[in-house]
Amino acid sequence: MHLPLTLALLPLAARAVNVISANDDGWAEKNIRTFYDSLTTAGHSVVISSPAENQSGKGSLDAEPKELTEPCEFDSCPEGSPPVGNNATQPRWNYVNSYPVTSIKHGIQNLSTTFFNGAPDLAVTGPNVGANLGVVTAISGTVGAACYAAHDAGIPAIAFSGGSGSATAWDDPTPAYATLYAQLATKVVNAVVAAGTPYLPKDVFLNVNFPKVDDGKCASADDFKFVLSRIYTAVPLVSGEDVETCSNDKRLPTETKVTGGDGCYVSISVGKATNKRDADAAAQGEVLTKLGDFLTCLPN
């Protein structure tokens, strides 16, 4: 018998951490707000610091925030608003009128001292509207923000993306996929935190992708399993070795294979924060050891 997710998450409250949250779809997009609710229900202290507008595909661009010359996305702040600001009734929901990297940088350098009295323990980005698989990671703002946190700020970072959905305003009804992705992302966060510090190896990030769920399959977070994967297809004599797991397979499955096949599987890849490519076998092995039974294998 499975406990409701909210009850299942309560024991993790003793391991609650300070989390800075960003994305590239904008601070008022439904996914990031739903993820905020899920993380706080699990006991974590969370602050959102995300772009005022949709900044998808902006990679690792960074620029000084500017005064808004038009309203924030979904009219979530008025024209003429300052370069950075917050929700009038919820100061932990913050916008930055610039790129995803700039947004998470502002959160780490400025907001964290206010809400956490120091640096955050963990950085999360997304869940992105749309998958970030393979070569797409190179231009993803969701991934770019996570890489900034991991490499430039030295904070363990996880980028989340989901195959289903479209840009949805914060005040629209919450789609089922948004709730599901938020629950799954919280499961990953809790597993990483439960494994203890250091949460991740130095200079790596986790690239986590959820499969499409629009067809009605995999309706519950308990239906899903998590698989260690790689971002890019391995090239013989070029790609480095992968950690050996799942009946001593020499190669990890790609994210596309994990999320695009039958069944309810989430891909978790270990990426280099310096170049957004696959980390080496040693870093993969550290993550495999830390997450342990949280990970499973694809069926043969």
Side-chain angles (χ1 to χ4, degrees), residues 116-132:
F116 305 147
N117 294 317
D121 301 302
L122 188 69
V124 297
T125 60
N128 187 69
V129 178
N132 278 310

Side-chain angles (χ1 to χ4, degrees), residues 32-43:
I32 196 168
R33 300 288 181 92
T34 309
F35 189 22
Y36 174 94
D37 291 341
S38 183
L39 286 172
T40 53
T41 296

Side-chain angles (χ1 to χ4, degrees), residues 169-205:
W170 64 276
D171 55 351
D172 282 348
T174 303
Y177 73 80
T179 299
L180 181 59
Y181 288 162
Q183 292 173 342
L184 290 170
T186 301
K187 278 194 167 189
V188 175
V189 167
N190 285 346
V192 169
V193 170
T197 56
Y199 296 129
L200 294 173
K202 179 179 172 60
D203 269 349
V204 308
F205 72 102

